[in-house]
Amino acid sequence: MASMLLKSILIVSPYFFFLSVQTKSKKTLARPGVKNIVLVEGVRTPFLMSGTTYADLMPHDLARAALQGLLHKTGLPKDAVDYIIYGTVIQEVKTSNVAREAALGAGFSDKIPAHTVTMACISSNQAMTSGTSGVQTSHRASSISLYVCFLGVLVCCLTCLAFCSFSLFPAVGLIAAGQCDAVVAGGVEFMSDVPIRHSRKMRKTMLSLNKAKTLGQRLSLIGSIRLAHLSPELPAVAEFSTAETMGHSADRLAAAFGVSRLEQDEFALRSHSLAKKAQDDSLLQDVIAFKVPGRDIVFKDNGIRPSSMQQMAKLKPAFIKPHGTVTAANSSFLTDGASAVLIMSEEKALAMGYKPKAYLRDFVYVSQDPKDQLLLGPTYASPKVLERAGLSMSDIDVFEFHEAFAGQIMANLKAMDSDWFAQTYMGRKSKVGTPPMEKFNLWGGSLSLGHPFGATGCRLVTTVAHRLKKEGGQYGLVAACAAGGQGHAMVIEAYPQ
């Protein structure tokens, strides 16, 4: 009887519910023998719609600005970083390793190695986790050496197995070289000026011209050029494996999960409205001011545009016409922008006098069918990373999911809430569970803030860290989909105040 009364009070009274949540004791995810990895700081340039104020720049200009902003905000000595990793998707051919060019331009020591990674919309996620994997396993590596001393042949076998592990093998090299105490990771995308190639036939002719030794050979090659040779090749907007654009996939996915046009427009309006409020309330503290050469200082995102349901309803389908539900208003827009984060071992951060923002805990990458499940990365990745961390959906205080399309987000939420989907496609006994909307993307998302492909991951992680501090939460979950049917999820833990 008493337990029933207590349940009634908790259901009826929001006040008692609030107390029950706030006083719930949560364990830390720190693990014996594993170094803690911390997010010290994260910054980004304002995210701008392509073709606007950044139009005359190059990708490395934005990446350099983000790195300089990180240096300025942290006071980090320019030679105190061990490695720099940047993510990008559509590479500028003049700066194929944009990480290195941006780092040199930002004034980092030329002794710091830098490389660039690409994994579609989760490129900067990959940059962050590539940079942290060595730190995460540093104590494990030293543990192995101890086991070798005590367990001999048995541990030699285990060590051989360990060297086949993706996470441990590169970590051993990094730790042995002493390169994993401080890493800068980031990402950049510049959609205002994408590389456009000559046709393949024209490229072959030009290469042959370069090798021609006589005037007759050159004239013959020039005479072979036809009008069709001059047709340019644009960067691919479709999946190579399926020849289908992501917008088409989003439209089909929304239809498969019964996501209506109304639901998509409502979610998009929510994203823009929350982003506008966060911007007005100065919550987007990762945004740095950037003086664009020859133009004004840019200090805020310019794609945040709350509309009305009536105005959004007037837009025609953008991909599947005339009956599709994905429109320009409920899709993320082409965006220019860059981000950067400073990640350290906790010991290094504290030794340098920093107060970290959050712990970076477990992460996973997943992949699935790129035709019918292209954008379901969050559904597959979220339960895996939670299980690795020993958490459930109810433990998470802050959710930040990448919003490629409103239809993609809503389809993921419905998939996560479906026992049938979990049993049929994920090999699970029951559904993953749905993030509560009162904890979900409360400062806007990619639909409103913008989505520079290579830079979004760092924005998501930094936003989780800031929201955990602002809202008093302990655990955050980042999740994102990516081209190729891939996905990523990461658990973040608040740093003690």
Side-chain angles (χ1 to χ4, degrees):
M1 187 70 177
S3 62
M4 292 180 61
L5 179 60
L6 179 58
K7 287 181 180 179
S8 300
I9 292 173
L10 291 176
I11 293 171
V12 172
S13 171
Y15 175 72
F16 276 95
F17 178 75
F18 175 80
L19 286 180
S20 69
V21 171
Q22 294 300 307
T23 58
K24 183 169 64 173
S25 176
K26 293 183 179 179
K27 63 180 181 181
T28 179
L29 297 183
R31 294 170 182 167
V34 179
K35 276 189 176 181
N36 287 322
I37 305 162
V38 294
L39 173 70
V40 175
E41 187 59 84
V43 302
R44 63 181 176 91
T45 67
F47 287 176
L48 303 188
M49 292 185 290
S50 62
T52 57
T53 308
Y54 295 154
D56 296 328
L57 301 180
M58 290 179 64
H60 84 283
D61 294 321
L62 295 179
R64 181 183 65 231
L67 291 173
Q68 288 174 332
L70 187 66
L71 286 171
H72 177 74
K73 200 165 185 179
T74 61
L76 182 73
K78 295 181 179 180
D79 60 351
V81 175
D82 300 316
Y83 212 99
I84 297 171
I85 311 173
Y86 246 72
T88 195
V89 179
I90 302 178
Q91 294 192 1
E92 163 61 55
V93 294
K94 293 181 179 179
T95 56
S96 57
N97 186 2
V98 70
R100 177 64 170 170
E101 303 304 333
L104 292 174
F108 280 92
S109 168
D110 59 11
K111 301 297 189 291
I112 301 172
H115 78 269
T116 302
V117 298
T118 185
M119 201 174 183
C121 299
I122 52 177
S123 293
S124 63
N125 308 62
Q126 186 59 250
M128 285 184 286
T129 56
S130 295
T132 61
S133 60
V135 183
Q136 281 182 307
T137 54
S138 62
H139 281 196
R140 295 177 193 172
S142 60
S143 296
I144 289 175
S145 64
L146 291 175
Y147 290 153
V148 169
C149 294
F150 290 104
L151 302 181
V153 176
L154 174 61
V155 175
C156 287
C157 296
L158 293 176
T159 303
C160 290
L161 291 174
F163 269 77
C164 295
S165 161
F166 173 81
S167 63
L168 184 56
F169 179 70
V172 171
L174 289 172
I175 297 302
Q179 296 179 352
C180 266
D181 275 332
V183 176
V184 168
V188 63
E189 210 66 46
F190 191 70
M191 301 304 295
S192 289
D193 181 28
V194 297
I196 299 174
R197 305 193 299 180
H198 285 290
S199 68
R200 186 166 194 143
K201 289 182 178 180
M202 189 63 178
R203 297 199 305 272
K204 285 185 175 180
T205 302
M206 293 172 72
L207 289 172
S208 297
L209 270 171
N210 192 47
K211 297 177 182 178
K213 296 180 179 180
T214 67
L215 177 62
Q217 289 175 332
R218 294 190 185 98
L219 291 175
S220 176
L221 286 167
I222 292 172
S224 70
I225 296 174
R226 299 291 179 264
L227 189 62
H229 292 187
L230 303 178
S231 177
E233 286 184 4
L234 298 174
V237 295
E239 293 286 314
F240 185 81
S241 59
T242 65
E244 185 176 62
T245 67
M246 191 172 285
H248 278 87
S249 296
D251 228 328
R252 288 198 303 104
L253 188 67
F257 282 91
V259 182
S260 68
R261 166 75 179 270
L262 178 63
E263 287 178 296
Q264 294 175 59
D265 286 351
E266 285 176 342
F267 185 89
L269 181 58
R270 173 188 187 270
S271 181
H272 280 273
S273 299
L274 290 173
K276 184 66 168 68
K277 186 178 187 308
Q279 190 178 69
D280 291 346
D281 292 345
S282 301
L283 297 177
L284 307 179
Q285 297 175 7
D286 55 334
V287 180
I288 57 171
F290 175 34
K291 174 64 173 73
V292 180
R295 307 190 72 166
D296 296 332
I297 296 176
V298 181
F299 58 91
K300 65 179 182 179
D301 308 318
N302 72 355
I304 303 173
R305 297 182 175 182
S307 182
S308 68
M309 291 297 292
Q310 292 75 19
Q311 290 174 314
M312 295 171 73
K314 295 177 182 178
L315 295 182
K316 295 181 179 180
F319 300 99
I320 298 179
K321 302 173 182 180
H323 303 299
T325 56
V326 174
T327 71
N330 57 41
S331 307
S332 57
F333 47 88
L334 296 180
T335 314
D336 301 333
S339 58
V341 295
L342 175 58
I343 300 170
M344 290 181 166
S345 64
E346 185 178 24
E347 296 92 333
K348 178 74 170 181
L350 296 178
M352 293 188 67
Y354 291 119
K355 177 64 181 293
K357 290 183 177 292
Y359 293 109
L360 303 185
R361 298 303 191 188
D362 288 278
F363 61 86
V364 298
Y365 291 92
V366 298
S367 59
Q368 54 277 341
D369 171 23
K371 181 172 176 59
D372 295 321
Q373 299 186 18
L374 178 72
L375 304 173
L376 290 178
T379 299
Y380 283 90
S382 294
K384 287 188 176 183
V385 78
L386 290 174
E387 287 166 2
R388 283 176 60 92
L391 300 176
S392 65
M393 291 290 282
S394 61
D395 293 315
I396 303 301
D397 303 298
V398 167
F399 293 87
E400 285 291 332
F401 282 21
H402 164 48
E403 301 170 352
F405 303 88
Q408 159 256 333
I409 282 289
M410 299 302 294
N412 272 278
L413 295 179
K414 292 195 176 188
M416 295 171 80
D417 197 37
S418 169
D419 284 321
W420 175 84
F421 186 85
Q423 293 162 3
T424 305
Y425 291 101
M426 301 178 68
R428 299 178 60 86
K429 294 181 179 179
S430 59
K431 61 187 179 183
V432 175
T434 308
M437 294 309 289
E438 62 270 18
K439 299 179 180 180
F440 190 87
N441 292 14
L442 295 189
W443 294 355
S446 300
L447 290 172
S448 49
L449 299 171
H451 175 38
F453 304 146
T456 290
C458 289
R459 177 191 68 77
L460 292 169
V461 168
T462 304
T463 300
V464 166
H466 287 169
R467 280 189 56 199
L468 285 172
K469 181 178 180 180
K470 177 75 174 176
E471 299 168 21
Q474 185 168 354
Y475 300 131
L477 177 65
V478 163
C481 60
Q486 303 187 101
H488 170 257
M490 177 187 286
V491 170
I492 298 164
E493 183 177 350
Y495 198 81
Q497 299 303 312

